[in-house]
Amino acid sequence: MQLFLASLIALTGWMAVPLAAQAPGKWPPDSLINTKVIPKNTPVMQVVGQMRNITGALGVRCPFCHVGQEGEPLSTFDFASDEKATKRTARQMMLMVEEVNRRLDTLPHDHARGHETPHVEVTCRTCHRGVERPIPLSTILIEATVAGGADSGAKVYTELRDKYYGEDAYDFGERTLNIAAFRVARERRYSDALALLDLNEQMYPGSSGMYVFRGNVLLMSGDTTAAAAAYREAIARDSSNEEARGRLREIQRAP
């Protein structure tokens, strides 16, 4: 598979705009300087286009990787500098993604099913989807809640929802808060976990699945009676909820 550098992405950690052009003084530059991944003979404006693709996929601007001040002319930026760790990291990410895309060509094809496997290529947006840090929303909420309590987690959720809802950056579906609450409970932060589930109830009123998670958290906290009540509520909301019925059987409290 031919890897087009315009589609490069960081698969883990923080990603950055990778290549330098030349020292401050002229924009666009006449040639590339200090390039270590992109071929040195690549047309300058092609590299500029690649940088735009990457910054758009990460939701960042030039100063995220390059030495310069936001709002100042690009001619004042030192694109050749390797001062910022994000730029140095990006080179490694580019090489890693190149290897991933190369290996995609080695995956077995299921010819027996009578069709070719669709072409797949990793791009910046594959993981980042418009944000710098490509991690699930549930992980962000867990970090915020463990560090600052349920109020902090709820604040982060609300801010991100206001900013990104309707885009593909984060999954704001019901399951995200359920997962976050369960994992917070595993840290023995039961009241914080229940508060996250209260928030989920506001977002998805009438949910049966949320009450299964509420029952699980209550069971982890040792409150079997309240857990049974939560499972019963889940069944009342959805009589086909077999998970809730199974949980009730496990604690010997038939509905």
Side-chain angles (χ1 to χ4, degrees):
M1 175 188 299
Q2 294 295 320
L3 175 65
F4 294 95
L5 291 174
S7 67
L8 295 174
I9 178 179
L11 294 181
T12 60
W14 295 79
M15 170 68 181
V17 177
L19 262 294
Q22 68 180 29
K26 186 177 187 300
W27 181 262
D30 296 323
S31 61
L32 302 178
I33 296 177
N34 193 26
T35 58
K36 298 181 180 178
V37 178
I38 292 178
K40 297 182 184 300
N41 61 350
T42 305
V44 170
M45 294 313 297
Q46 180 177 326
V47 176
V48 172
Q50 293 166 3
M51 298 302 100
R52 287 173 178 163
N53 288 341
I54 295 173
T55 55
L58 273 67
V60 298
R61 302 277 292 173
C62 298
F64 183 69
C65 299
H66 296 297
V67 176
Q69 294 297 317
E70 179 64 42
E72 293 297 318
L74 293 177
S75 60
T76 66
F77 279 59
D78 186 357
F79 287 101
S81 172
D82 288 341
E83 176 182 331
K84 292 194 173 183
T86 45
K87 178 184 173 184
R88 300 193 301 273
T89 298
R91 289 188 174 122
Q92 297 301 313
M93 297 297 100
M94 292 175 72
L95 293 172
M96 181 173 66
V97 171
E98 184 175 358
E99 177 64 17
V100 169
N101 277 304
R102 185 181 300 114
R103 292 191 180 196
L104 287 176
D105 268 346
T106 70
L107 296 178
H109 296 280
D110 190 2
H111 298 292
R113 298 180 64 182
H115 61 79
E116 292 293 329
T117 302
H119 174 75
V120 176
E121 185 173 24
V122 171
T123 70
C124 294
R125 189 162 289 276
T126 303
C127 295
H128 283 275
R129 301 184 180 186
V131 293
E132 300 171 15
R133 193 179 178 210
I135 62 173
L137 176 59
S138 58
T139 300
I140 296 174
L141 299 179
I142 293 164
E143 292 175 348
T145 302
V146 170
D151 287 344
S152 177
K155 181 174 183 292
V156 169
Y157 178 86
T158 301
E159 290 175 348
L160 291 177
R161 186 181 174 93
D162 288 345
K163 183 175 182 180
Y164 292 106
Y165 189 80
E167 301 182 18
D168 59 356
Y170 297 112
D171 178 5
F172 292 100
E174 175 188 342
R175 187 168 176 80
T176 292
L177 275 169
N178 286 341
I179 291 172
F182 182 76
R183 292 181 180 170
V184 167
R186 291 175 66 178
E187 299 293 326
R188 300 182 183 275
R189 304 282 290 271
Y190 305 120
S191 61
D192 287 332
L194 292 171
L196 290 180
L197 292 174
D198 288 340
L199 175 60
N200 216 13
E201 172 78 351
Q202 296 175 32
M203 297 294 106
Y204 297 93
S207 166
S208 174
M210 184 277 297
Y211 262 87
V212 173
F213 276 87
R214 180 177 291 276
N216 293 343
V217 170
L218 290 166
L219 199 59
M220 293 166 69
S221 73
D223 192 341
T224 306
T225 300
Y231 294 138
R232 288 196 178 94
E233 178 62 24
I235 295 169
R237 294 182 175 201
D238 179 3
S239 60
S240 66
N241 193 324
E242 291 301 322
E243 183 178 2
R245 292 183 182 278
R247 293 291 187 183
L248 275 173
R249 286 193 293 269
E250 289 175 5
I251 59 178
Q252 298 181 342
R253 290 178 180 271

